[in-house]
Amino acid sequence: MAATHERPSAREIFITLEYGPVPESHACALAWLDTQDRHLGHYVNGKWLKPEHRNSVPCQDPITGESLATCLQAQAEDVAAAVEAAGTAFENWSGLPGASRAQHLLRLAKMIQKHQRLLWTLESLVSGRAIREVRDGDVPLAQQLLQYHAVQAYTQEEELAGWEPMGVIGLILSPMFSFLEMMWRICPALAVGCTVVVLVPPASPTPLLLAQLAGELGSFPGILNVISGPASLGPVLASHPRVQKEGRALRRTLAGKGAELGLALGAESLLVLTEAADVDSAVEGIVDAAWSDRSAGGLRLLIQESVWDETMRRLQERMARLRGGRGLDGAVDMGTRGAAARDLAQHYAHEARSQGAQVFQAGDSPFFPPTLVSDLPPASPCAQAEVPWPVVVASSFRTAKEALAIANGTPRGASASVWSERLGQALELGYGLQVGTVWINAHGLRNTEVPTGGCKESGSSWHGGADGLYEYLRPSGTPARLSYFSENLNYDTFGLAVPSTLPAGPEIGPSPATPYGLFIGGRFQAPGARSSRPIKDSQGNLHGYVAEGGAKDIRGAVEAAHQAVSGWVGQSPGARATLLWALATALERRESALASRLERHGMELKDAKVEVELSTRQLRAWGARAQAQGHVLQVAELKGPVLRLREPLGVLAVVCPDEWPLLAFVSLLAAALAHGNTVVMVPSGACPIPALEVCQDMAALLPAGLVNVVTGDRDHLTRCLALHQDVQALWYFGSAQGSQFVEWASAGNLKPVWVNRGCPRAWDQEAKGAGAELGLRAARTKALWLPMGD
Amino acid sequence: MSARNRGTELDLSWISKIQVNQPAVLRRAEQIQARRTVKKEWQAAWLLKAVTFIDLTTLSGDDTSSSIQRLCYKAKYPIREDLLKSLNMHDKVATGFPSGQTHLKTRLEEIRLAVEDGATEIDVVINRTLVLTGQWEALYDEIRQFRKACGEAHLKTILATGELGSLTNVYKASMIAMMAGSDFIKTSTGKETVNATFPVAIVMLRAIRDFFWKTGNKVGFKPAGGIRSAKDSLAWLSLVKEELGDEWLTPELFRIGASTLLSDIERQIYHHVTGRYAAYHDLPMS
């Protein structure tokens, strides 16, 4: 690289016209490290915390390996101290009026503005990312995030009435994420009144600096605490009784303590280049996505076969012009991220080559060059693995349909861009891709107002926009998350066996007879096990038998639900509403039968009638809401709209609570259907018969497979559903043990779960039963960016 | 002068599928200015290089022999000698000679007369109506005739990009102009309201590269108008370097049409050499 040569004279440069080094002074970053004697501790409760007898790790310059400072490694006590501080601060902070919190966030934004140079040089020095990206991208965005969320805090009492802050938020930052990723999460948390403990990977001083800046504002020292330590401390932080929410999907560790979880919450992105694209601009999009230090991960590139050669030629030509080098150089595209990132990339490139791929490298980089992998056999391990920075893996497709199949065929789903000048095609692809963010003819745009998140194994948490706020809120009055962890729960045997049932005495027949069978694929079927379970009424008399569902029945129900997905998603919201309203009418006709069923379970007839009436109201309310989904965002820098879409999750499994056997069943069903999901439901264990009564109407009204109801042993059915990889989300209302099992087991495909942790819920109260929470959980958000211009 | 572009047969398939995405090109234009800077010696050398690309032109109606004479002197000695000496560059830098008072809206006869008068470079403006109405064959024929009339003189085709309606049209017009045998394509006359802008340049440069890939002919590029500061000129150099490569960074293939740019560059070089900012009277006027 030019910087290492002897300095050429102006005369020589005049001939060669080469680029020279444009070094940015990092003196202020070093001076800041000096104020800590090059020895960084943790920043807790507005003070530096430097406990004795801790290991420390060096923080190195990613190019020279020179040690810049040492960082202390936290231990469990330090985590406890930080959580304690955050807990104490929470009492004050959450009690403040929103306007005061807004004021404080704005002061922090100002503070960042005053020290921005220190912030960007330190970040670029340590992370090795190109300074341009930190200076022009990250730091201004960090300020905007604070400003945006200050506004949200200001309007919180009005806009978010009925919600309250969760409490202390534990955030575990992975090594590949920058301080900006931290800001995306702490800003909404602080805005709504939560306080935060961030566990940063060792040797990342920028979050510590941010915490110091926040601490030096004086007033609320404990709201942001940063400790540095190994990822193994994550579970310690997350399972602390005061921590209400964890930032990363440590689900299995959290539920299961100690079990491994491969965190696939990656930064890999996807780019689909069609033949109708402006290829040169798309090539720039690839540079943005993979080789400009904007993103943390690699890129999967899908190119339409007809433009494959042309794209490859342009891409390789472009790669040769990329400049890599020291992050603090003002004229490089790509900085240098240290040995760990290089080893990862090297390993991937090596593996890909040995699996038969072509590996093309170009560009001027002292560390690891931009890398393009093509012709990777589809079944090779590399084709399935996550692509690391700075690697691009290119493969071809023939039609848009095929592109969708390939793109959706990975377990990851964070972000993607579609390059096509044909509006219809671009929208078809944009809507069809199962990812959190889609950019049309652009890549990597971000804005504080646009929610960003992922689906599938990229995790289901959101940040930015209104969706980001709800991550740190819970409906008012919901009990705080208490530890319900039970050491005794055996994951291997939970719900494994079904107790056998025998005839249970005389059947005091109700009239008409109870519907019998599992409601699967639109009709009642005999259960696979060919056995039944007795249902007793409140006096202990036999009320009737219901079918005993098992693993095979769950499999059948999930299949039936999958077959119904495309038809139901394709229905307009209006059509969905019509069906829900029709079901409500049918329920009204059946009112007396339903009420008498409920009455037999020990309810007053009056209350039973109220429950039926509330149920019909739920169906109508959700039917009405089906038509008000998603909206358009207008974003400052972007000419054109960003569509915030609410997309169905797919097949949603619901294990209904024992309380309110009809109302809970109908509320959950209505919310799920209104958002376009198809469902597999396990009704109340004690009183499943009203739900089966409703099935009789659904058999007549709804498309087959849309709703499937499986009765039987709840633990067993829960086990089958939680371990099913092709169920996209699971709601569980039951015992604490069941909740723990569901959280543990669902880690298999990281499906979003919603569990009640053994706490009953007041379904008759409008605010909760029909409230926004159900709606939030019944669909996922997608942001679709549509830049315009000609 | 470099080899002539002989042009090719009209092949509409080269332009029929082209789509230029305007927002994406705008983003690229912003990036190129943020990602490439040069400092110190590099800046001085680049600025001097920029000087060699400048076409000092005048299109004013009130030009007299004295103003033209001053311009010619400035073209020959663009930077104060003592500044060049201290950079050890005093034997190298001279700007392009002015290509003569350009005939706007020339018709063929005017071109022939100009060539007879000894003009070596002829600027013509394309007929924008033909572009806006998509009459690409007619546009090709028209430029082809200009090309014939030029004889051995070089043909610079001005696309008047501010009036073409879209970047896609800019690409198509560039391609047609090159197929018809233009040796240079030029953004604008320098007198329009919309002058040379980065997005337009990116599209034209990409067209030049595509034409080179298809035919092996290198066509030159000339932005004109609106380039006033030394900093701008550096961005233009890196734009050409990034999109086309170093081979295009010669006066045969890249010119900058500007009148006030030179004095700003001279001031920057003064600052580089002396460490002070120049007063207006420190440097000769043009």
PDB file of all heavy atoms in Angstrom, chain B residues 57-59 102-105 123-126 128 158-163 186-196 222-225 257-258:
ATOM      1  N   THR B  57     -11.948  28.233 -22.210  1.00  0.00           N
ATOM      2  CA  THR B  57     -12.793  28.633 -23.340  1.00  0.00           C
ATOM      3  C   THR B  57     -13.474  29.941 -23.020  1.00  0.00           C
ATOM      4  O   THR B  57     -13.679  30.284 -21.856  1.00  0.00           O
ATOM      5  CB  THR B  57     -13.887  27.586 -23.631  1.00  0.00           C
ATOM      6  OG1 THR B  57     -14.116  26.857 -22.443  1.00  0.00           O
ATOM      7  CG2 THR B  57     -13.489  26.695 -24.743  1.00  0.00           C
ATOM      8  N   THR B  58     -13.822  30.628 -24.043  1.00  0.00           N
ATOM      9  CA  THR B  58     -14.683  31.776 -23.823  1.00  0.00           C
ATOM     10  C   THR B  58     -15.791  31.730 -24.856  1.00  0.00           C
ATOM     11  O   THR B  58     -15.572  31.423 -26.021  1.00  0.00           O
ATOM     12  CB  THR B  58     -13.911  33.102 -23.910  1.00  0.00           C
ATOM     13  OG1 THR B  58     -14.848  34.150 -23.862  1.00  0.00           O
ATOM     14  CG2 THR B  58     -13.084  33.197 -25.176  1.00  0.00           C
ATOM     15  N   LEU B  59     -16.965  31.972 -24.390  1.00  0.00           N
ATOM     16  CA  LEU B  59     -18.110  31.954 -25.296  1.00  0.00           C
ATOM     17  C   LEU B  59     -18.806  33.303 -25.296  1.00  0.00           C
ATOM     18  O   LEU B  59     -19.890  33.440 -25.836  1.00  0.00           O
ATOM     19  CB  LEU B  59     -19.106  30.877 -24.863  1.00  0.00           C
ATOM     20  CG  LEU B  59     -18.579  29.449 -24.889  1.00  0.00           C
ATOM     21  CD1 LEU B  59     -19.535  28.540 -24.167  1.00  0.00           C
ATOM     22  CD2 LEU B  59     -18.351  28.984 -26.304  1.00  0.00           C
ATOM     23  N   THR B 102     -16.323  28.535 -30.030  1.00  0.00           N
ATOM     24  CA  THR B 102     -17.136  27.433 -30.539  1.00  0.00           C
ATOM     25  C   THR B 102     -18.360  27.959 -31.261  1.00  0.00           C
ATOM     26  O   THR B 102     -18.989  28.916 -30.833  1.00  0.00           O
ATOM     27  CB  THR B 102     -17.585  26.514 -29.399  1.00  0.00           C
ATOM     28  OG1 THR B 102     -17.955  27.337 -28.316  1.00  0.00           O
ATOM     29  CG2 THR B 102     -16.501  25.563 -28.999  1.00  0.00           C
ATOM     30  N   HIS B 103     -18.650  27.287 -32.328  1.00  0.00           N
ATOM     31  CA  HIS B 103     -19.856  27.653 -33.064  1.00  0.00           C
ATOM     32  C   HIS B 103     -21.016  26.898 -32.463  1.00  0.00           C
ATOM     33  O   HIS B 103     -21.087  25.683 -32.563  1.00  0.00           O
ATOM     34  CB  HIS B 103     -19.724  27.260 -34.529  1.00  0.00           C
ATOM     35  CG  HIS B 103     -18.568  27.900 -35.190  1.00  0.00           C
ATOM     36  ND1 HIS B 103     -18.658  29.096 -35.847  1.00  0.00           N
ATOM     37  CD2 HIS B 103     -17.284  27.518 -35.267  1.00  0.00           C
ATOM     38  CE1 HIS B 103     -17.474  29.415 -36.325  1.00  0.00           C
ATOM     39  NE2 HIS B 103     -16.616  28.483 -35.984  1.00  0.00           N
ATOM     40  N   LEU B 104     -21.888  27.587 -31.813  1.00  0.00           N
ATOM     41  CA  LEU B 104     -23.066  26.919 -31.291  1.00  0.00           C
ATOM     42  C   LEU B 104     -24.063  26.756 -32.422  1.00  0.00           C
ATOM     43  O   LEU B 104     -24.101  27.535 -33.380  1.00  0.00           O
ATOM     44  CB  LEU B 104     -23.664  27.739 -30.157  1.00  0.00           C
ATOM     45  CG  LEU B 104     -22.790  27.786 -28.910  1.00  0.00           C
ATOM     46  CD1 LEU B 104     -23.469  28.604 -27.842  1.00  0.00           C
ATOM     47  CD2 LEU B 104     -22.484  26.397 -28.401  1.00  0.00           C
ATOM     48  N   LYS B 105     -24.850  25.748 -32.321  1.00  0.00           N
ATOM     49  CA  LYS B 105     -25.883  25.475 -33.325  1.00  0.00           C
ATOM     50  C   LYS B 105     -25.304  25.480 -34.739  1.00  0.00           C
ATOM     51  O   LYS B 105     -25.879  26.003 -35.681  1.00  0.00           O
ATOM     52  CB  LYS B 105     -27.008  26.514 -33.231  1.00  0.00           C
ATOM     53  CG  LYS B 105     -27.725  26.508 -31.885  1.00  0.00           C
ATOM     54  CD  LYS B 105     -29.106  27.091 -32.023  1.00  0.00           C
ATOM     55  CE  LYS B 105     -29.880  26.975 -30.736  1.00  0.00           C
ATOM     56  NZ  LYS B 105     -29.680  28.071 -29.812  1.00  0.00           N
ATOM     57  N   ASP B 123     -17.045  21.441 -31.907  1.00  0.00           N
ATOM     58  CA  ASP B 123     -18.097  21.117 -30.938  1.00  0.00           C
ATOM     59  C   ASP B 123     -19.453  21.224 -31.619  1.00  0.00           C
ATOM     60  O   ASP B 123     -19.730  22.229 -32.263  1.00  0.00           O
ATOM     61  CB  ASP B 123     -18.085  22.110 -29.774  1.00  0.00           C
ATOM     62  CG  ASP B 123     -16.891  21.897 -28.867  1.00  0.00           C
ATOM     63  OD1 ASP B 123     -15.871  21.381 -29.359  1.00  0.00           O
ATOM     64  OD2 ASP B 123     -16.982  22.250 -27.677  1.00  0.00           O
ATOM     65  N   VAL B 124     -20.269  20.180 -31.492  1.00  0.00           N
ATOM     66  CA  VAL B 124     -21.639  20.307 -31.980  1.00  0.00           C
ATOM     67  C   VAL B 124     -22.606  19.948 -30.863  1.00  0.00           C
ATOM     68  O   VAL B 124     -22.285  19.151 -29.987  1.00  0.00           O
ATOM     69  CB  VAL B 124     -21.917  19.394 -33.188  1.00  0.00           C
ATOM     70  CG1 VAL B 124     -21.038  19.767 -34.352  1.00  0.00           C
ATOM     71  CG2 VAL B 124     -21.723  17.946 -32.804  1.00  0.00           C
ATOM     72  N   VAL B 125     -23.770  20.542 -30.901  1.00  0.00           N
ATOM     73  CA  VAL B 125     -24.805  20.219 -29.921  1.00  0.00           C
ATOM     74  C   VAL B 125     -25.818  19.313 -30.600  1.00  0.00           C
ATOM     75  O   VAL B 125     -26.209  19.577 -31.736  1.00  0.00           O
ATOM     76  CB  VAL B 125     -25.503  21.497 -29.425  1.00  0.00           C
ATOM     77  CG1 VAL B 125     -26.434  21.170 -28.279  1.00  0.00           C
ATOM     78  CG2 VAL B 125     -24.483  22.523 -29.000  1.00  0.00           C
ATOM     79  N   ILE B 126     -26.223  18.262 -29.913  1.00  0.00           N
ATOM     80  CA  ILE B 126     -27.201  17.373 -30.543  1.00  0.00           C
ATOM     81  C   ILE B 126     -28.582  18.001 -30.484  1.00  0.00           C
ATOM     82  O   ILE B 126     -28.838  18.930 -29.713  1.00  0.00           O
ATOM     83  CB  ILE B 126     -27.246  15.985 -29.870  1.00  0.00           C
ATOM     84  CG1 ILE B 126     -27.642  16.111 -28.394  1.00  0.00           C
ATOM     85  CG2 ILE B 126     -25.942  15.261 -30.033  1.00  0.00           C
ATOM     86  CD1 ILE B 126     -28.070  14.806 -27.785  1.00  0.00           C
ATOM     87  N   ARG B 128     -31.958  18.000 -29.248  1.00  0.00           N
ATOM     88  CA  ARG B 128     -32.588  17.370 -28.085  1.00  0.00           C
ATOM     89  C   ARG B 128     -33.957  16.784 -28.396  1.00  0.00           C
ATOM     90  O   ARG B 128     -34.396  15.819 -27.783  1.00  0.00           O
ATOM     91  CB  ARG B 128     -32.729  18.372 -26.932  1.00  0.00           C
ATOM     92  CG  ARG B 128     -31.527  18.433 -26.043  1.00  0.00           C
ATOM     93  CD  ARG B 128     -30.500  19.430 -26.524  1.00  0.00           C
ATOM     94  NE  ARG B 128     -30.844  20.802 -26.262  1.00  0.00           N
ATOM     95  CZ  ARG B 128     -30.344  21.821 -26.966  1.00  0.00           C
ATOM     96  NH1 ARG B 128     -29.557  21.602 -27.992  1.00  0.00           N
ATOM     97  NH2 ARG B 128     -30.661  23.057 -26.652  1.00  0.00           N
ATOM     98  N   ILE B 158     -21.828  17.658 -27.878  1.00  0.00           N
ATOM     99  CA  ILE B 158     -22.392  18.187 -26.638  1.00  0.00           C
ATOM    100  C   ILE B 158     -23.802  17.622 -26.476  1.00  0.00           C
ATOM    101  O   ILE B 158     -24.645  17.757 -27.365  1.00  0.00           O
ATOM    102  CB  ILE B 158     -22.440  19.727 -26.684  1.00  0.00           C
ATOM    103  CG1 ILE B 158     -21.023  20.271 -26.847  1.00  0.00           C
ATOM    104  CG2 ILE B 158     -23.089  20.273 -25.428  1.00  0.00           C
ATOM    105  CD1 ILE B 158     -20.964  21.766 -27.077  1.00  0.00           C
ATOM    106  N   LEU B 159     -24.025  16.973 -25.342  1.00  0.00           N
ATOM    107  CA  LEU B 159     -25.320  16.308 -25.174  1.00  0.00           C
ATOM    108  C   LEU B 159     -26.357  17.206 -24.518  1.00  0.00           C
ATOM    109  O   LEU B 159     -27.528  16.877 -24.493  1.00  0.00           O
ATOM    110  CB  LEU B 159     -25.154  15.041 -24.334  1.00  0.00           C
ATOM    111  CG  LEU B 159     -24.189  13.991 -24.901  1.00  0.00           C
ATOM    112  CD1 LEU B 159     -24.077  12.816 -23.954  1.00  0.00           C
ATOM    113  CD2 LEU B 159     -24.648  13.508 -26.270  1.00  0.00           C
ATOM    114  N   ALA B 160     -25.934  18.335 -23.976  1.00  0.00           N
ATOM    115  CA  ALA B 160     -26.871  19.230 -23.273  1.00  0.00           C
ATOM    116  C   ALA B 160     -27.707  18.433 -22.286  1.00  0.00           C
ATOM    117  O   ALA B 160     -28.931  18.392 -22.340  1.00  0.00           O
ATOM    118  CB  ALA B 160     -27.759  19.964 -24.266  1.00  0.00           C
ATOM    119  N   THR B 161     -27.016  17.763 -21.390  1.00  0.00           N
ATOM    120  CA  THR B 161     -27.648  16.753 -20.547  1.00  0.00           C
ATOM    121  C   THR B 161     -28.745  17.293 -19.646  1.00  0.00           C
ATOM    122  O   THR B 161     -29.604  16.535 -19.212  1.00  0.00           O
ATOM    123  CB  THR B 161     -26.599  16.078 -19.664  1.00  0.00           C
ATOM    124  OG1 THR B 161     -25.855  17.097 -18.999  1.00  0.00           O
ATOM    125  CG2 THR B 161     -25.659  15.238 -20.489  1.00  0.00           C
ATOM    126  N   GLY B 162     -28.692  18.586 -19.363  1.00  0.00           N
ATOM    127  CA  GLY B 162     -29.727  19.155 -18.515  1.00  0.00           C
ATOM    128  C   GLY B 162     -31.088  19.127 -19.170  1.00  0.00           C
ATOM    129  O   GLY B 162     -32.110  19.267 -18.515  1.00  0.00           O
ATOM    130  N   GLU B 163     -31.108  18.911 -20.495  1.00  0.00           N
ATOM    131  CA  GLU B 163     -32.388  19.004 -21.216  1.00  0.00           C
ATOM    132  C   GLU B 163     -32.823  17.664 -21.786  1.00  0.00           C
ATOM    133  O   GLU B 163     -33.688  17.608 -22.651  1.00  0.00           O
ATOM    134  CB  GLU B 163     -32.260  20.040 -22.335  1.00  0.00           C
ATOM    135  CG  GLU B 163     -32.051  21.434 -21.785  1.00  0.00           C
ATOM    136  CD  GLU B 163     -31.570  22.402 -22.851  1.00  0.00           C
ATOM    137  OE1 GLU B 163     -31.774  22.136 -24.033  1.00  0.00           O
ATOM    138  OE2 GLU B 163     -30.977  23.427 -22.463  1.00  0.00           O
ATOM    139  N   LYS B 186     -19.535  15.484 -24.413  1.00  0.00           N
ATOM    140  CA  LYS B 186     -19.405  16.626 -23.526  1.00  0.00           C
ATOM    141  C   LYS B 186     -20.755  16.869 -22.864  1.00  0.00           C
ATOM    142  O   LYS B 186     -21.796  16.745 -23.505  1.00  0.00           O
ATOM    143  CB  LYS B 186     -18.991  17.820 -24.389  1.00  0.00           C
ATOM    144  CG  LYS B 186     -18.651  19.070 -23.661  1.00  0.00           C
ATOM    145  CD  LYS B 186     -18.057  20.070 -24.662  1.00  0.00           C
ATOM    146  CE  LYS B 186     -18.055  21.460 -24.062  1.00  0.00           C
ATOM    147  NZ  LYS B 186     -17.529  22.477 -24.982  1.00  0.00           N
ATOM    148  N   THR B 187     -20.730  17.175 -21.585  1.00  0.00           N
ATOM    149  CA  THR B 187     -21.985  17.290 -20.845  1.00  0.00           C
ATOM    150  C   THR B 187     -22.858  18.427 -21.338  1.00  0.00           C
ATOM    151  O   THR B 187     -24.056  18.268 -21.535  1.00  0.00           O
ATOM    152  CB  THR B 187     -21.732  17.542 -19.351  1.00  0.00           C
ATOM    153  OG1 THR B 187     -20.900  18.690 -19.228  1.00  0.00           O
ATOM    154  CG2 THR B 187     -21.058  16.355 -18.703  1.00  0.00           C
ATOM    155  N   SER B 188     -22.230  19.590 -21.522  1.00  0.00           N
ATOM    156  CA  SER B 188     -23.043  20.768 -21.784  1.00  0.00           C
ATOM    157  C   SER B 188     -22.151  21.833 -22.410  1.00  0.00           C
ATOM    158  O   SER B 188     -20.937  21.694 -22.436  1.00  0.00           O
ATOM    159  CB  SER B 188     -23.647  21.277 -20.482  1.00  0.00           C
ATOM    160  OG  SER B 188     -22.663  21.235 -19.460  1.00  0.00           O
ATOM    161  N   THR B 189     -22.764  22.878 -22.895  1.00  0.00           N
ATOM    162  CA  THR B 189     -21.952  23.940 -23.477  1.00  0.00           C
ATOM    163  C   THR B 189     -21.250  24.752 -22.400  1.00  0.00           C
ATOM    164  O   THR B 189     -20.269  25.406 -22.660  1.00  0.00           O
ATOM    165  CB  THR B 189     -22.824  24.904 -24.295  1.00  0.00           C
ATOM    166  OG1 THR B 189     -23.819  25.426 -23.403  1.00  0.00           O
ATOM    167  CG2 THR B 189     -23.490  24.206 -25.441  1.00  0.00           C
ATOM    168  N   GLY B 190     -21.766  24.694 -21.196  1.00  0.00           N
ATOM    169  CA  GLY B 190     -21.203  25.522 -20.133  1.00  0.00           C
ATOM    170  C   GLY B 190     -22.017  26.779 -19.916  1.00  0.00           C
ATOM    171  O   GLY B 190     -21.764  27.546 -19.002  1.00  0.00           O
ATOM    172  N   LYS B 191     -23.006  26.971 -20.770  1.00  0.00           N
ATOM    173  CA  LYS B 191     -23.813  28.184 -20.642  1.00  0.00           C
ATOM    174  C   LYS B 191     -25.255  27.877 -20.235  1.00  0.00           C
ATOM    175  O   LYS B 191     -26.064  28.770 -20.112  1.00  0.00           O
ATOM    176  CB  LYS B 191     -23.806  28.958 -21.974  1.00  0.00           C
ATOM    177  CG  LYS B 191     -22.486  29.633 -22.278  1.00  0.00           C
ATOM    178  CD  LYS B 191     -22.306  30.901 -21.452  1.00  0.00           C
ATOM    179  CE  LYS B 191     -20.887  31.437 -21.581  1.00  0.00           C
ATOM    180  NZ  LYS B 191     -20.600  32.490 -20.602  1.00  0.00           N
ATOM    181  N   GLU B 192     -25.560  26.589 -20.084  1.00  0.00           N
ATOM    182  CA  GLU B 192     -26.937  26.267 -19.696  1.00  0.00           C
ATOM    183  C   GLU B 192     -27.128  26.466 -18.198  1.00  0.00           C
ATOM    184  O   GLU B 192     -26.172  26.683 -17.459  1.00  0.00           O
ATOM    185  CB  GLU B 192     -27.264  24.804 -20.025  1.00  0.00           C
ATOM    186  CG  GLU B 192     -27.327  24.486 -21.488  1.00  0.00           C
ATOM    187  CD  GLU B 192     -26.085  23.758 -21.940  1.00  0.00           C
ATOM    188  OE1 GLU B 192     -25.025  24.006 -21.324  1.00  0.00           O
ATOM    189  OE2 GLU B 192     -26.167  22.978 -22.892  1.00  0.00           O
ATOM    190  N   THR B 193     -28.385  26.338 -17.777  1.00  0.00           N
ATOM    191  CA  THR B 193     -28.646  26.460 -16.338  1.00  0.00           C
ATOM    192  C   THR B 193     -28.140  25.239 -15.595  1.00  0.00           C
ATOM    193  O   THR B 193     -27.620  25.336 -14.499  1.00  0.00           O
ATOM    194  CB  THR B 193     -30.150  26.638 -16.072  1.00  0.00           C
ATOM    195  OG1 THR B 193     -30.835  25.688 -16.872  1.00  0.00           O
ATOM    196  CG2 THR B 193     -30.612  28.030 -16.412  1.00  0.00           C
ATOM    197  N   VAL B 194     -28.344  24.055 -16.180  1.00  0.00           N
ATOM    198  CA  VAL B 194     -27.820  22.841 -15.556  1.00  0.00           C
ATOM    199  C   VAL B 194     -26.536  22.477 -16.270  1.00  0.00           C
ATOM    200  O   VAL B 194     -26.534  22.245 -17.471  1.00  0.00           O
ATOM    201  CB  VAL B 194     -28.820  21.677 -15.663  1.00  0.00           C
ATOM    202  CG1 VAL B 194     -28.256  20.450 -14.978  1.00  0.00           C
ATOM    203  CG2 VAL B 194     -30.138  22.075 -15.043  1.00  0.00           C
ATOM    204  N   ASN B 195     -25.448  22.445 -15.505  1.00  0.00           N
ATOM    205  CA  ASN B 195     -24.168  22.169 -16.120  1.00  0.00           C
ATOM    206  C   ASN B 195     -23.733  20.754 -15.818  1.00  0.00           C
ATOM    207  O   ASN B 195     -24.544  19.874 -15.628  1.00  0.00           O
ATOM    208  CB  ASN B 195     -23.148  23.185 -15.609  1.00  0.00           C
ATOM    209  CG  ASN B 195     -23.438  24.561 -16.151  1.00  0.00           C
ATOM    210  OD1 ASN B 195     -23.632  24.713 -17.341  1.00  0.00           O
ATOM    211  ND2 ASN B 195     -23.503  25.536 -15.276  1.00  0.00           N
ATOM    212  N   ALA B 196     -22.432  20.580 -15.775  1.00  0.00           N
ATOM    213  CA  ALA B 196     -21.895  19.251 -15.508  1.00  0.00           C
ATOM    214  C   ALA B 196     -22.192  18.862 -14.060  1.00  0.00           C
ATOM    215  O   ALA B 196     -21.829  19.567 -13.139  1.00  0.00           O
ATOM    216  CB  ALA B 196     -20.400  19.275 -15.729  1.00  0.00           C
ATOM    217  N   LYS B 222     -15.773  15.155 -21.551  1.00  0.00           N
ATOM    218  CA  LYS B 222     -15.528  16.529 -21.131  1.00  0.00           C
ATOM    219  C   LYS B 222     -16.726  17.104 -20.390  1.00  0.00           C
ATOM    220  O   LYS B 222     -17.766  17.362 -20.979  1.00  0.00           O
ATOM    221  CB  LYS B 222     -15.224  17.398 -22.354  1.00  0.00           C
ATOM    222  CG  LYS B 222     -15.054  18.867 -21.996  1.00  0.00           C
ATOM    223  CD  LYS B 222     -14.570  19.688 -23.158  1.00  0.00           C
ATOM    224  CE  LYS B 222     -14.551  21.170 -22.790  1.00  0.00           C
ATOM    225  NZ  LYS B 222     -14.099  21.998 -23.899  1.00  0.00           N
ATOM    226  N   PRO B 223     -16.588  17.288 -19.086  1.00  0.00           N
ATOM    227  CA  PRO B 223     -17.607  18.039 -18.361  1.00  0.00           C
ATOM    228  C   PRO B 223     -17.343  19.526 -18.552  1.00  0.00           C
ATOM    229  O   PRO B 223     -16.189  19.944 -18.599  1.00  0.00           O
ATOM    230  CB  PRO B 223     -17.389  17.633 -16.913  1.00  0.00           C
ATOM    231  CG  PRO B 223     -15.946  17.263 -16.826  1.00  0.00           C
ATOM    232  CD  PRO B 223     -15.512  16.806 -18.201  1.00  0.00           C
ATOM    233  N   ALA B 224     -18.390  20.291 -18.673  1.00  0.00           N
ATOM    234  CA  ALA B 224     -18.190  21.725 -18.876  1.00  0.00           C
ATOM    235  C   ALA B 224     -19.218  22.507 -18.079  1.00  0.00           C
ATOM    236  O   ALA B 224     -20.391  22.165 -18.059  1.00  0.00           O
ATOM    237  CB  ALA B 224     -18.312  22.069 -20.351  1.00  0.00           C
ATOM    238  N   GLY B 225     -18.723  23.539 -17.420  1.00  0.00           N
ATOM    239  CA  GLY B 225     -19.629  24.440 -16.710  1.00  0.00           C
ATOM    240  C   GLY B 225     -19.841  24.044 -15.273  1.00  0.00           C
ATOM    241  O   GLY B 225     -19.999  22.862 -14.955  1.00  0.00           O
ATOM    242  N   GLY B 257     -14.013  21.676 -19.027  1.00  0.00           N
ATOM    243  CA  GLY B 257     -14.327  22.988 -19.565  1.00  0.00           C
ATOM    244  C   GLY B 257     -14.661  23.928 -18.418  1.00  0.00           C
ATOM    245  O   GLY B 257     -15.654  23.740 -17.733  1.00  0.00           O
ATOM    246  N   ALA B 258     -13.771  24.876 -18.164  1.00  0.00           N
ATOM    247  CA  ALA B 258     -14.001  25.754 -17.030  1.00  0.00           C
ATOM    248  C   ALA B 258     -13.243  27.035 -17.243  1.00  0.00           C
ATOM    249  O   ALA B 258     -12.190  27.053 -17.879  1.00  0.00           O
ATOM    250  CB  ALA B 258     -13.533  25.092 -15.746  1.00  0.00           C
TER     251      ALA B 258
END
